[in-house]
Amino acid sequence: MKSYPNLMKPLQIGGIQIKNRLAVAPLGTNRLYGPKGEYTDNGIEYILERARGGFGLIVLGNVVGDMEVDKPNIVDGQIPPSYAPNTWKESAIRLTERVHMYGCKIFYQVGMGRGRMRNNEKAPSALPKYTNPDELTEVLTEEEIECKIKWIIKTAQMAKSAGFDGVEIHAMHWGYLLDQFEMTISNQRTDRFGGDLEHRLTCAREIVEGIKAVCGKDFPVSMRLGMKSYIRGFRQPSLDGTQEAGRDIEETCEVGKLLEKFGYDMLNCNSGIYDSFYYCAPPAYIPKGHNLHLSKQLKAAVNIPVFARDEMMIRI
Ligand SMILES: Cc1cc2nc3c(=O)[nH]c(=O)nc-3n(C[C@H](O)[C@H](O)[C@H](O)COP(=O)(O)O)c2cc1C
């Protein structure tokens, strides 16, 4: 029987402390929300069950903040807080106050977008769309990228004012937009958003700097980070991880160091992108705790907390 001597010990994340190292992974579900993006009573009860169960931290599922460039997808239940700000805030305060009653902290997860993973969204470069590879994505202009960053910062500020303890940025994982900016296979830009690794992380840097400027430097900001893509190319998965054409763990360690330098307070990790979906949401044939050897390497490269799920967490 494996033992976890640190599991129930408190942990510092930026300016806050969580009571133990048990964290709920973000799960996007439109069932939490009413027609204006507000949390319903049922949705709040669903989240509270996790707080009652003893978790130290809950990270909510992704909502894209952008109201301008890629219009909010109301059908997906992806309604940004800015759509009906007062209705959203009233429900969010009811949620965060009740979560806090159980000594649990809660992070809001805000996304930049999905790029080539959705048919109607723009991407860093002209990329084959995931569901329609014969078509190429439209390319985001510099102004559109800046606009998307602005909406993330604004949404983080709203989350703080509604009592959330921190935010997590969605996502440099699963091949979503920030992942597309980071990986050379999907970023051929020649402006400040492309080029060497540090330039490919410009969005990530401007996001955290902007949030810290309006929410304070102690307000925790986490990055949802994929540690290995497991692809040989677009729509070419690599089950054994060889011939990696996306991001490998060595590059992830460099990314982690830069994210820490930029001001990120936590890395919430998993692996895989849509093109290798069996690593994103692993079926039974993928060994339990399959990410641990990667997260151990990443943790050795950074000084901030790294979250990854172990075999035991999966069984809980
Ligand atoms: C239906 C579903 C929805 C998910 N929604 C989100 C999300 O909104 N944000 C996010 O960062 N991860 C999301 N995930 C990823 C999970 O948090 C988790 O990383 C994934 O299930 C793989 O588990 P692992 O991290 O133990 O490998 C989702 C997964 C599933 C199956």
Side-chain angles (χ1 to χ4, degrees):
M1 170 83 176
K2 210 166 165 183
S3 74
Y4 297 86
N6 294 321
L7 191 61
M8 302 313 286
K9 289 185 188 159
L11 180 71
Q12 195 71 24
I13 306 172
I16 65 152
Q17 195 178 64
I18 57 172
K19 65 180 176 184
N20 58 39
R21 288 122 196 266
L22 291 165
V24 180
L27 283 180
T29 162
N30 54 14
R31 300 196 176 193
L32 296 184
Y33 310 107
K36 292 181 177 171
E38 75 281 17
Y39 300 103
T40 60
D41 289 344
N42 270 346
I44 291 175
E45 271 306 312
Y46 169 86
I47 298 163
L48 282 179
E49 272 302 289
R50 275 102 196 120
R52 287 186 193 110
F55 282 97
L57 175 66
I58 296 170
V59 183
L60 289 188
N62 169 48
V63 174
V64 177
D66 182 8
M67 294 275 292
E68 285 177 76
V69 182
D70 296 313
K71 299 280 180 302
N73 187 344
I74 310 293
V75 182
D76 252 9
Q78 289 275 322
I79 305 172
S82 301
Y83 181 76
N86 294 332
T87 311
W88 177 82
K89 187 170 177 180
E90 184 275 325
S91 70
I93 289 174
R94 274 194 292 125
L95 166 67
T96 56
E97 280 185 347
R98 294 183 68 191
V99 166
H100 290 154
M101 297 282 286
Y102 296 95
C104 180
K105 306 282 189 205
I106 182 163
F107 282 8
Y108 188 81
Q109 194 182 65
V110 54
M112 188 172 181
R114 279 82 36 130
R116 70 173 271 268
M117 300 313 173
R118 290 287 187 282
N119 270 333
N120 55 354
E121 294 192 16
K122 299 179 185 179
S125 299
L127 305 172
K129 295 180 178 177
Y130 176 70
T131 50
N132 189 2
D134 295 331
E135 260 185 38
L136 298 179
T137 56
E138 279 184 62
V139 179
L140 285 159
T141 64
E142 278 191 63
E143 293 70 32
E144 286 171 332
I145 297 169
E146 285 159 6
C147 183
K148 278 181 162 289
I149 293 173
K150 175 194 80 183
W151 278 109
I152 292 193
I153 296 166
K154 184 177 165 46
T155 308
Q157 196 173 17
M158 292 175 75
K160 187 182 178 199
S161 75
F164 283 93
D165 302 286
V167 287
E168 181 163 284
I169 305 308
H170 185 271
M172 209 178 286
H173 90 154
W174 281 29
Y176 289 130
L177 194 53
L178 280 169
D179 226 1
Q180 290 162 42
F181 273 102
E182 192 285 325
M183 292 189 287
T184 48
I185 190 176
S186 42
N187 184 342
Q188 287 92 47
R189 299 183 76 95
T190 52
D191 56 15
R192 75 179 197 279
F193 298 104
D196 64 12
L197 180 60
E198 199 145 351
H199 281 94
R200 299 199 308 278
L201 294 179
T202 302
C203 294
R205 181 173 55 71
E206 292 186 4
I207 287 169
V208 72
E209 286 174 358
I211 293 175
K212 296 276 181 177
V214 296
C215 295
K217 69 174 176 24
D218 289 342
F219 187 65
V221 183
S222 167
M223 175 61 86
R224 189 68 162 133
L225 181 63
M227 296 179 288
K228 181 165 168 62
S229 314
Y230 290 99
I231 54 161
R232 294 192 179 133
F234 291 129
R235 297 170 66 86
Q236 294 174 56
S238 170
L239 183 57
D240 63 7
T242 56
Q243 295 171 260
E244 182 63 75
R247 184 166 58 251
D248 58 19
I249 183 62
E250 287 73 27
E251 186 170 324
T252 297
C253 290
E254 295 311 307
V255 170
K257 285 182 207 169
L258 285 167
L259 293 178
E260 180 177 0
K261 188 177 102 179
F262 298 157
Y264 283 89
D265 302 289
M266 171 178 140
L267 304 172
N268 187 3
C269 298
N270 69 350
S271 56
I273 71 172
Y274 272 38
D275 308 62
S276 56
F277 207 78
Y278 38 60
Y279 279 106
C280 291
Y285 61 83
I286 302 280
K288 290 191 166 74
H290 68 100
N291 282 319
L292 287 180
H293 68 291
L294 302 174
S295 50
K296 212 170 165 179
Q297 263 179 271
L298 175 60
K299 180 62 202 154
V302 298
N303 301 301
I304 48 178
V306 170
F307 270 88
R309 277 142 296 284
D310 194 357
E311 185 175 352
M312 190 187 87
M313 318 298 177
I314 291 165
R315 286 205 192 118
I316 277 177

